[in-house]
Amino acid sequence: MSNSAQKSYDYGTADFNAVYRGGELLGDAGITRVPWDIGEPQPGVLEFERRGRIRGEVLDAGCGLGDNAVFLAARGYRVTAVDAASTAIERARERAAKQEGGAEIEFAVADATSLAGYEGRFDTVLDSALFHTLDADGRRRYAAALGRAARPGAWLDMLCFAAVPGGMPEPLSVSEETVREVLTGAGWAVTELTRTVYWGVAEATRTFLEKTGVQVEIDEAGRTQLPVWSVLAERA
């Protein structure tokens, strides 16, 4: 099926607080469960940590329900986890309190395109699927805000929906060229950009995928296997 013949959505109208409360994320897309709530850290985040890409003070930008932050905190990293959705932060605090290291995480409601009050704090910035949710101007402001929050020489580890066959529709997915242009323009030097997968809850997005005509891989556990860019960058 061709995506052009299927329904399109204004992703800027997504209501993240609503979906965290069991409401509709995006118009009539039928997304009333949190599609990225897999109950464990993303495999791409595990790989970042395995490769030694986490150090010092860590910012988890767009932390959602906090599984990635809890994973890192349990391994001794100092983590600040922020999200613009207040309901996500409330639920993340509750979930983290029951897990090893969770009580040490600094959770906060914050606009990631500003990050006022976080200037010069972080040695590592983790973005597990926030960048692609923003519009073009928001992506530029976000990359600049991360640069202000980062210390000189800080690392950025990012997972971003890739505009490739089998992936999410554009503009929710992003081209390699756009990723490089936006990050470079904000003072980040991209040192590696490769493809990996992002897990989601297939049942949560079934109606959306049918309406948009997107065909994605689903594993035996009922998880979508979405292609993402795995981006490593360094702050000058």
Side-chain angles (χ1 to χ4, degrees):
M1 287 185 293
S2 169
N3 289 355
S4 62
Q6 303 299 319
K7 182 158 186 173
S8 60
Y9 289 92
D10 178 359
Y11 298 105
T13 65
D15 188 339
F16 291 96
N17 269 313
V19 79
Y20 283 116
R21 293 191 297 262
E24 180 65 69
L25 173 65
L26 188 65
D28 65 351
I31 303 174
T32 57
R33 291 175 55 190
V34 180
W36 48 90
D37 182 15
I38 61 171
E40 59 185 295
Q42 283 290 331
V45 176
L46 299 180
E47 180 65 8
F48 289 146
E49 202 274 336
R50 186 195 68 79
R51 292 182 59 184
R53 285 288 305 182
I54 310 294
R55 64 179 181 182
E57 295 280 348
V58 181
L59 172 65
D60 182 358
C63 66
L65 293 170
D67 292 316
N68 295 321
V70 168
F71 164 73
L72 295 175
R75 280 151 185 76
Y77 299 104
R78 297 182 299 276
V79 183
T80 298
V82 303
D83 202 288
S86 58
T87 307
I89 292 298
E90 291 170 11
R91 291 184 57 189
R93 286 193 180 112
E94 294 171 359
R95 183 178 290 191
K98 303 172 185 176
Q99 301 183 65
E100 180 186 355
E104 305 302 319
I105 301 170
E106 179 186 338
F107 286 106
V109 178
D111 177 0
T113 66
S114 171
L115 293 174
Y118 291 98
E119 292 80 3
R121 276 189 54 178
F122 301 104
D123 305 290
T124 305
V125 176
L126 172 66
D127 173 353
S128 179
L130 173 57
F131 180 88
H132 60 244
T133 69
L134 304 169
D135 63 16
D137 180 63
R139 290 167 185 168
R140 288 189 292 270
R141 289 187 289 113
Y142 172 56
L146 294 183
R148 292 191 298 272
R151 292 172 177 153
W155 291 340
L156 169 64
D157 303 330
M158 185 169 83
L159 301 173
C160 168
F161 284 167
V164 298
M168 284 297 190
E170 296 185 65
L172 188 57
S173 59
V174 187
S175 70
E176 175 180 349
E177 292 75 17
T178 295
V179 172
R180 291 185 181 276
E181 177 185 354
V182 172
L183 293 181
T184 300
W188 291 97
V190 176
T191 58
E192 182 178 302
L193 192 154
T194 56
R195 281 263 301 276
T196 187
V197 297
Y198 183 90
W199 287 351
V201 181
E203 187 59 34
T205 53
R206 188 176 306 279
T207 300
F208 169 76
L209 295 175
E210 290 174 353
K211 288 188 174 184
T212 56
V214 174
Q215 299 182 21
V216 302
E217 182 181 348
I218 300 175
D219 69 12
E220 65 281 357
R223 295 176 301 213
T224 51
Q225 305 284 296
L226 298 169
V228 291
W229 301 122
S230 175
V231 185
L232 307 184
E234 184 172 338
R235 183 66 174 152

